[in-house]
Amino acid sequence: MSCGGPHNIDCRKVLDAVFLYLDGECNDPQQHLIRAHLDECSPCLREFGVEHEVKMLVARKCGGERAPDSLRLSVLARLRAARTSADATEYRPD
């Protein structure tokens, strides 16, 4: 997609980065470039709005589910064991 106007960042690159932008995974310079582009490019802003709505719908319909307590406790126990093992391996007095 391209609106035909000159921009600091290409429309396709903005749309490729929309989910990174929505998830807050862009660094500050990238965020500013994308936000500036969206402010001046109506087609990209419309597409961004659609992507944002899809993300919000998925979060609303799929969010809030929680892993069973038994799974949560098992994962925590394995993480603790792995950390203890890693700590023991790192500390080897000579």
Side-chain angles (χ1 to χ4, degrees):
M1 166 189 289
S2 178
C3 65
H7 301 289
N8 289 338
I9 184 171
D10 183 63
C11 292
R12 178 64 14 222
K13 288 182 181 180
V14 168
L15 294 177
D16 287 345
V18 160
F19 282 110
L20 295 174
Y21 179 81
L22 286 170
D23 292 339
E25 296 179 15
C26 295
N27 60 34
D28 284 343
Q30 289 172 323
Q31 281 183 317
H32 292 299
L33 278 174
I34 292 170
R35 183 78 252 165
H37 183 96
L38 293 173
D39 286 344
E40 64 186 27
C41 183
S42 297
C44 286
L45 183 59
R46 244 187 327 278
E47 185 70 24
F48 170 78
V50 169
E51 300 295 347
H52 184 258
E53 289 300 318
V54 168
K55 183 173 174 51
M56 298 307 291
L57 177 65
V58 169
R60 190 169 56 245
K61 296 297 182 184
C62 299
E65 290 189 27
R66 188 180 162 145
D69 285 338
S70 59
L71 175 61
R72 192 176 133 276
L73 294 173
S74 174
V75 169
L76 287 173
R78 287 180 184 221
L79 288 171
R80 283 188 199 106
R83 181 181 295 158
T84 301
S85 175
D87 288 347
T89 302
E90 284 182 23
Y91 180 72
R92 288 188 177 176
D94 291 325

